[in-house]
Amino acid sequence: MEEFKKLFKMYKKIFKYRQIKQISIRFVCFEELDIENYLKDSKVSFQLNVALIYFYIHNFIKRGYEVLCLGEYVNKKTGEIKAVKKIIDFSKEVNLSATYLKFYETNYTNYISFLCEKVGFSKVRDHCKGKYSKAFSYKEKYPKLKFVEANNNYLLKRLFFLTRKYHQLRKANFNDSFYLTKLKPLLDDYQYLSIDLKAVKKYLDEKLDIWLLNKGSVLKVDFDYNDYVRDFLGASQVANGFYKFKREKGNSDGRLHSEFQNLSKRMRQFVKLDNKPMYEADISAAVPTIFIYYLNKLAETAGEAQLPNNPNSITIKKDIETNHLMLLDLHKKIDNDINEQNIIKNLQIALPITQSQIWLREFTEELKDFKEHIFNDTLYQSFIEEYANSFIPADWGKAKDKQNKFISLFNTNDEKGMRNLMKKQFLSFLNADTESCSKYNRIKDIFKGRYPLIFAVLKEIKNIDLEKKHKLFSILVLQMESKLILEIVCLEFKEMYPDCKLITIHDCILTTEEYIDELNSFMKDRISKELGININSKMKLVTTVM
């Protein structure tokens, strides 16, 4: 009886916490299907709910997107298996978990029979004698999609019970509940997001027509059927307004994740906040800027315990390269858990050469040049000439090679394309395991040649933690970024302007026109003060389809 009372109180608290205002759910369905007419024209011996039919079709499409867009490539020499991108083909097998289907309707087999007999689905086979999952396919490879609405309060509640808000209330000891709950003023703003589904469908259908027309040709397009399906599913999630928020500490980026953060850039132009166009303010070059913050901290504490001055700066650089031989002994002194608080201390242990005045002088000069390029927005352009010179004559005939995409951009003098490629390569190099990942060797060699001491620090960050390894750099930078954006800028700005609506996408903040100027100014000043660096920020309109 006590358990029943607790359960009743919990349910009461849930619906007091969030009143479900909408009476319909938006699903993604194949365009040619008209379920209502199928039900009228068909003599069905059992009663079917239209919403549940659409729900099962929606989940077939969603599951198809998850499993059909990935294939396997086996390297014949090494035997290594890699995942490769494939175009979704709904005529191929898609398996659906029977346990998942049963969660929403115990008589789910009636719905499956209807879909197979009347709608155009085919049951390919049963898995494990039908106990755990069943495999289905559709009659077309690349069918067009549409949005449909259906009313079902029972299903609406069941879907809500899968969201993070429900689980927070249900589990008092949830691992990251406090880490996430302190962002409650921000999470509540997500209910004010809306999306124009009619405009989305028109836009996506036009993009799909172009892809179908050019499919199989050598003409490169930036949109395919996978993008089409992904954007339909993402738009429906925003329209329904149920978000599974996630934010974790430890070996994570500390960022706030949900269905909205996963929405593609193409779809953001259709989204409004509080029924008003959205604007964004974001940090320019966020990752390099926060890396500079850590480099500044290292420079501030370096040189205190001096080593004998060595007039030969080349020896200093060689010492840094060979310092990794000492790592086994040094790891006895290094903390087991490297984090924002102790990274500088541990870097000084791992790189004792940082205590030299000669090292400090040369490091400061490199850091000054690196800062100038970052804050003047010239770093990526400055890589272009050296990157072009890194190719041998034989490489210039391989313009179609994906690895040599730069060559085709260089030959057409596409400066914007080359800059964007340099940016992508540099940021990937910063976060990647550059010891084993050879595809960033060109940008790594350029950066190492220009900033050898900064490169040595970066290399040490990726080696200093034996467990996290190269991922430590991303953890340090992105956790600092999330702290600045979510816990400092957003929460403090909310206190100043309680009526404003704020939505974050990692290093940028979305709001409405009446607050964007004040938000951009506040973000720039507040983060500059926190990091001790005069950062750059920029604003732009996000909602371009009114």
Side-chain angles (χ1 to χ4, degrees), residues 363 385 497 531:
F363 180 77
E385 184 176 352
Y497 302 97
L531 297 181

Side-chain angles (χ1 to χ4, degrees), residues 35-183:
I35 300 300
E36 287 85 351
N37 282 335
Y38 285 143
L39 287 172
K40 289 178 183 177
D41 297 340
S42 305
K43 293 181 180 180
V44 183
S45 59
F46 40 82
Q47 188 175 2
L48 295 177
N49 185 287
V50 175
L52 275 171
I53 296 173
Y54 282 133
F55 173 74
Y56 287 135
I57 296 172
H58 177 99
N59 277 276
F60 173 84
I61 295 169
K62 181 181 177 184
R63 180 63 179 162
Y65 173 75
E66 293 169 352
V67 299
L68 294 177
C69 65
L70 290 179
E72 289 185 351
Y73 164 76
V74 181
N75 189 316
K76 293 181 179 179
K77 293 182 179 179
T78 63
E80 183 182 2
I81 300 175
K82 291 186 177 180
V84 293
K85 179 182 175 182
K86 289 176 64 178
I87 299 299
I88 295 169
D89 178 354
F90 282 114
S91 66
K92 298 287 180 68
E93 177 181 323
V94 177
N95 67 294
L96 296 173
S97 165
T99 305
Y100 181 75
L101 298 175
K102 194 174 181 179
F103 176 77
Y104 296 95
E105 174 56 59
T106 53
N107 296 321
Y108 72 93
T109 52
N110 291 339
Y111 289 86
I112 299 302
S113 298
F114 173 78
L115 292 174
C116 292
E117 294 171 10
K118 306 295 182 183
V119 178
F121 286 80
S122 300
K123 185 190 290 187
V124 179
R125 59 193 170 98
D126 288 339
H127 292 268
C128 302
K129 299 180 181 179
K131 290 182 180 179
Y132 301 107
S133 62
K134 299 176 183 296
F136 303 92
S137 64
Y138 189 62
K139 58 186 178 182
E140 291 185 32
K141 286 186 175 182
Y142 315 118
K144 282 192 173 183
L145 304 176
K146 65 179 179 180
F147 298 106
V148 293
E149 291 189 13
N151 301 325
N152 189 310
N153 287 335
Y154 169 76
L155 183 58
L156 195 64
K157 292 172 185 177
R158 297 288 272 185
L159 290 172
F160 176 57
F161 290 164
L162 294 177
T163 64
R164 178 55 61 96
K165 284 185 177 181
Y166 167 72
H167 283 291
Q168 274 186 278
L169 293 167
R170 182 169 174 257
K171 297 182 181 180
N173 60 343
F174 200 75
N175 288 338
D176 60 355
S177 59
F178 173 74
Y179 196 44
L180 191 64
T181 303
K182 60 183 175 180
L183 300 181

